[in-house]
Amino acid sequence: MSRTSISQVLAGALAAGQPVTVKGWVRTRRDSKAGLSFIHVHDGSCFAPIQVVASNELPNYAGEVQRLTTGCSVSVRGEVIATPDRPQPFEIRADSVEVLGWVEDPETYPIQPKQHSMEFLRGVAHLRPRTNTFGAVARVRHTLSMAVHRFFDQRGFFWVHTPIITTSDAEGAGEMFRVSTLDLANLPRTENGAIDFEQDFFGRAAHLTVSGQLNVEAYAMALSNVYTFGPTFRAEKSNTSRHLAEFWMVEPEIAFADLHEDADLAEAMLKSVFTDLLNERADDMAFFEERVQKGVLQRLESFVSTSFERMEYTDAIRHLEGAKKKFEFPVKWGVDLATEHERWLTEEHVGRPIVVMNYPKEIKSFYMRENEDGRTVAAMDVLAPGIGEIIGGSQREERLDVLDRRMDEMGLDREGYAWYRDLRRYGTVPHAGFGLGFERLVVYATGIANIRDAIPYPRTPGSAEF
């Protein structure tokens, strides 16, 4: 008999009395004096385990069933039993319980049936998806991923696979991981003593990408509406609950578009993916509401039902300067907004998400379109109550002479961006896009406090386990 997922059984896909086979891992086992064992089996297909009732009439009851401990894997064949008067609508009366894998030493098994600290679970990241919290995070992450792809696919966008290895710095910040096959104990040198990267694998210095934006822009100049969704890397030595060295980015790019159309796309995408999450993962979201962060459900429901405020950066600064609240970081025109500023604007001043637009050019990247005032660029940040910035984007600079001037001002080598400049030389058009840190989206959706718990295997300064 083929395996049936526990989510199907609990959803009533099989009628009571039907034969069924489920396979999974034991969460708990409880024995009764009546000669029955109640085994909670979980296969990850949904939040809840299913209760298996095993009788002492099973031939392996004393030798195996009563030895089952948390983490053992089993194959259960039996009959679906309706239990309308109990918390779960169905359970399984076992005809056989086959042990597929024992836990070597139950006393030292790391994932005991009790509450563990997040710090402890990061140390056993290969086992933590067996817990309620991280199983739920994994399913939410999957649902959000599919919702992102579905949103863009339904709107005629094409998914472009941009390179992981690059020779361009999209942010111009220089915080990049180097990719090299050179012998570190015997580095080749040029005549002036610098490392000779011409002898490296790619014939020049190469790094892990910080963003797929520049590459996906090229495809927007041919396919109009595109996006990339993949891993990105920042060699930023920041040991905080908000930073990762490896994370995933969603980066759409739209041709023939300005900043306002970019903001509309960002709002529509966020509302769409959160709506899908609320519709598809009610079981996991109920857990996050009850055990992780009270109010997370109401926050998402409010998010998808309200329109986003549009606000000029200059106006945002004016509101902040007039606030009665004392901020840790001083506010004045020309500074980037800190999280405390973003949260005050969304939570106390406006009370809903905000798109802040047109930032000072000195604090933004070289590729952002310079506005007519010469002081600002067509950049935007989407700010959400409870977290602050969740999306950053801009209209791109499509004028070659202005792009070149901005690159010169920032000390960037034009030759290294020759291919990017070509996009302005051959049929340039106005275009715009944004970047969404996917783990930040997961954090916002679940209420998880630390971004290291929003990705399966976190990479942070001094830590690359598993």
Side-chain angles (χ1 to χ4, degrees), residues 54-125:
S55 164
N56 61 5
E57 295 180 1
L58 294 178
N60 65 339
Y61 183 77
E64 293 188 335
V65 172
Q66 286 192 307
R67 292 174 51 217
L68 288 172
T69 58
T70 301
C72 290
S73 56
V74 294
S75 175
V76 176
R77 183 170 53 84
E79 179 185 345
V80 176
I81 304 297
T83 54
D85 57 338
R86 298 178 188 170
Q88 283 194 339
F90 299 97
E91 65 184 22
I92 296 173
R93 183 168 61 206
D95 295 327
S96 72
V97 176
E98 178 189 357
V99 182
L100 302 177
W102 295 98
V103 167
E104 197 172 77
D105 181 1
E107 295 297 321
T108 60
Y109 178 57
I111 309 300
Q112 297 289 333
K114 64 178 184 179
Q115 189 167 354
H116 299 278
S117 72
M118 297 299 233
E119 189 66 35
F120 169 79
L121 291 172
R122 287 179 210 126
V124 288

Side-chain angles (χ1 to χ4, degrees), residues 33 100 203 259 287 313 394 397:
K33 294 179 181 179
L100 302 177
L259 187 64
F287 167 77
Y313 166 87
S394 71
E397 184 54 78

Side-chain angles (χ1 to χ4, degrees), residues 222-247:
L223 304 180
S224 296
N225 293 338
V226 297
Y227 73 104
T228 183
F229 184 2
T232 54
F233 309 84
R234 301 278 171 94
E236 182 181 353
K237 287 203 170 183
S238 183
N239 251 318
T240 76
S241 62
R242 293 169 56 89
H243 291 88
L244 291 166
E246 178 184 9
F247 54 97

Side-chain angles (χ1 to χ4, degrees), residues 120-401:
F120 169 79
L121 291 172
R122 287 179 210 126
V124 288
H126 60 307
L127 298 175
R128 69 179 184 172
R130 301 185 185 195
T131 66
N132 283 334
T133 299
F134 287 96
V137 168
R139 287 185 294 272
V140 165
R141 188 180 172 99
H142 163 79
T143 300
L144 289 172
S145 295
M146 297 306 295
V148 166
H149 287 301
R150 189 162 50 244
F151 172 84
F152 288 118
D153 183 59
Q154 290 174 350
R155 286 158 180 77
F157 281 69
F158 298 101
W159 181 20
V160 178
H161 302 156
T162 52
I164 300 298
I165 299 173
T166 182
T167 57
S168 301
D169 180 359
E171 297 300 319
E175 296 171 334
M176 305 177 74
F177 289 102
R178 189 178 299 283
V179 176
S180 176
T181 59
L182 293 177
D183 182 358
L184 297 180
N186 189 27
L187 291 171
R189 301 284 179 178
T190 63
E191 290 182 357
N192 63 8
I195 297 174
D196 186 2
F197 286 107
E198 290 186 0
Q199 297 188 43
D200 208 346
F201 187 91
F202 296 104
R204 59 191 300 184
H207 304 84
L208 295 179
T209 185
V210 299
S211 168
Q213 178 207 313
L214 302 190
N215 296 101
V216 86
E217 276 189 58
Y219 273 72
M221 296 299 99
L223 304 180
S224 296
N225 293 338
V226 297
Y227 73 104
T228 183
F229 184 2
T232 54
F233 309 84
R234 301 278 171 94
E236 182 181 353
K237 287 203 170 183
S238 183
N239 251 318
T240 76
S241 62
R242 293 169 56 89
H243 291 88
L244 291 166
E246 178 184 9
F247 54 97
W248 285 61
M249 287 282 286
V250 179
E251 298 176 288
E253 200 72 27
I254 43 178
F256 313 105
D258 62 17
L259 187 64
H260 296 281
E261 291 165 289
D262 199 28
D264 291 344
L265 180 69
E267 179 175 354
M269 188 206 72
L270 288 171
K271 288 182 174 180
S272 176
V273 299
F274 285 150
T275 298
D276 286 354
L277 177 63
L278 290 168
N279 290 338
E280 295 175 26
R281 291 258 57 98
D283 55 347
D284 291 317
M285 292 309 301
F287 167 77
F288 289 119
E289 172 72 22
E290 180 183 346
R291 302 298 296 273
V292 177
Q293 185 181 41
K294 297 287 185 186
V296 69
L297 270 176
Q298 194 279 328
R299 183 170 73 182
L300 291 185
E301 290 165 353
S302 175
F303 191 101
V304 301
S305 63
T306 60
S307 62
F308 291 14
E309 177 85 1
R310 302 303 198 265
M311 182 182 294
E312 292 288 312
Y313 166 87
T314 299
D315 292 334
I317 292 297
R318 178 169 52 81
H319 294 315
L320 288 162
E321 287 177 331
K324 295 180 181 179
K325 181 174 180 177
K326 183 174 176 61
F327 297 109
E328 179 182 355
F329 298 98
V331 179
K332 65 176 181 178
W333 199 96
V335 304
D336 209 355
L337 299 182
T339 301
E340 60 173 342
H341 306 144
E342 296 166 346
R343 294 192 61 173
W344 181 86
L345 287 167
T346 55
E347 296 168 28
E348 299 184 41
H349 182 64
V350 174
R352 56 195 170 106
I354 303 173
V355 184
V356 177
M357 311 172 81
N358 299 313
Y359 281 74
K361 68 178 185 179
E362 284 78 12
I363 60 174
K364 291 296 180 180
S365 297
F366 73 94
Y367 53 75
M368 299 185 177
R369 194 182 200 278
E370 187 173 297
N371 291 324
E372 298 305 315
D373 60 15
R375 303 173 67 219
T376 62
V377 290
M380 69 168 191
D381 284 337
V382 179
L383 314 181
I387 194 170
E389 181 196 339
I390 196 167
I391 279 179
S394 71
Q395 183 175 340
R396 316 310 188 189
E397 184 54 78
E398 85 280 11
R399 301 162 296 185
L400 180 60
D401 58 332

